[in-house]
Amino acid sequence: MADRGKYELLFPTVLFVASDIAKRGSVMKMIVSTAIRALGIVLFAGMSHAQTPPGGVPIPTTSDFGDPGDQFGYILAADGNWAVASGSFGEAFYVYERLANGTWTRRQRILPPVLGQAFFRTPHLRGNRLVISRPSDPTASPAGSGTVYVYQRNDSASPFTLNATLRPADAQTGDRFGYGLAQTDDRIFVGASARDEGANTDQGAVYVFLLNAGTWVQETRMSPPDAGASARFGQDLAFDGQDLLV
């Protein structure tokens, strides 16, 4: 799988063995996820938490890092020499770069567009694009239907900035839009695991957004007719370069 190579850079033992196993059931996914979070403590221990923006100077972090209950590293994403970790109990994501000498340094802190409202879902990092979701978003319409934020940067020397906000055209209250995430160069896949399909409550669906002339447009919605109620289709997504695993 394409993502396996990315994770091997950070977690060579656990995910090399478990990445394929994890796709076979929610219990194994939970075990692997827990292992990743545990490794996150080791991975980020002793790193430089002083934020060093590309081309800038370190920024003091005493006011935004290390508070009780931060749960730093509870959520992780990685791509090559870059990693994103949650902090402040989901109310911020921290972007790290691995330098040539093997040490990690913090490059950026990303806050939700609306302060005080946590993201609370796993981000997805791919090159110069970072996708973060908020599946239960009270500011969305209808309320609680979920929002996906697309952050973009020009290159590795630039910070991520909010580029787009994604919401489905046929959103439902509490559909958990954004619970699952995957992306390619020109598409973003978003799971809405609690979406009702007909009489099937919480059957779930996957939305596909296409990058068209610089703008993200909803391309299609997928949900298997035989999934049934409470299937939670779209709760976890992975893309290997050719196939989308749901």
Side-chain angles (χ1 to χ4, degrees):
M1 304 294 288
D3 282 346
R4 180 191 299 173
K6 298 175 185 177
Y7 283 116
E8 279 183 303
L9 294 170
L10 296 180
F11 316 114
T13 302
V14 175
L15 284 185
F16 182 82
V17 176
S19 59
D20 289 335
I21 299 175
K23 297 182 180 67
R24 300 176 187 173
S26 58
V27 174
M28 284 304 301
K29 289 178 183 177
M30 185 186 305
I31 295 173
V32 173
S33 178
T34 302
I36 294 172
R37 288 197 291 268
L39 281 174
I41 298 174
V42 178
L43 169 68
F44 291 106
M47 291 195 315
S48 171
H49 296 301
Q51 182 169 323
T52 309
V57 296
I59 298 175
T61 60
T62 53
S63 62
D64 64 31
F65 185 84
D67 293 331
D70 268 358
Q71 296 192 353
F72 175 72
Y74 184 79
I75 301 174
L76 298 172
D79 184 10
N81 289 323
W82 292 85
V84 178
S86 64
S88 302
F89 197 61
E91 293 183 357
F93 278 98
Y94 300 89
V95 181
Y96 284 85
E97 180 185 10
R98 182 169 56 180
L99 305 179
N101 62 5
T103 62
W104 290 83
T105 186
R106 197 180 101 179
R107 293 301 193 188
Q108 187 178 359
R109 181 173 72 126
I110 298 176
L111 299 174
V114 179
L115 295 181
Q117 296 183 353
F119 289 114
F120 275 129
R121 272 309 291 172
T122 303
H124 195 283
L125 178 63
R126 180 186 174 90
N128 293 321
R129 186 191 306 135
L130 173 62
V131 182
I132 306 175
S133 66
R134 189 160 189 249
S136 298
D137 186 356
T139 68
S141 180
S145 57
T147 301
V148 171
Y149 301 101
V150 182
Y151 291 83
Q152 195 77 35
R153 63 183 179 184
N154 295 328
D155 49 48
S156 60
S158 305
F160 286 100
T161 58
L162 183 60
N163 173 263
T165 300
L166 307 182
R167 288 179 177 140
D170 55 352
Q172 298 176 350
T173 300
D175 61 6
R176 292 191 179 182
F177 176 80
Y179 209 86
L181 290 174
Q183 60 177 318
T184 66
D185 288 343
D186 60 356
R187 282 178 171 83
I188 295 177
F189 305 96
V190 183
S193 61
R195 177 180 171 81
D196 299 338
E197 293 289 342
N200 292 337
T201 302
D202 295 342
Q203 175 172 313
V206 173
Y207 291 85
V208 183
F209 290 83
L210 172 67
L211 184 60
N212 184 11
T215 301
W216 291 100
V217 295
Q218 183 175 320
E219 184 179 32
T220 188
R221 186 187 86 234
M222 303 179 293
S223 187
D226 57 348
S230 301
R232 301 287 185 181
F233 183 79
Q235 182 159 303
D236 292 290
L237 304 178
F239 187 79
D240 71 346
Q242 180 176 355
D243 299 318
L244 177 67
L245 306 180
V246 182

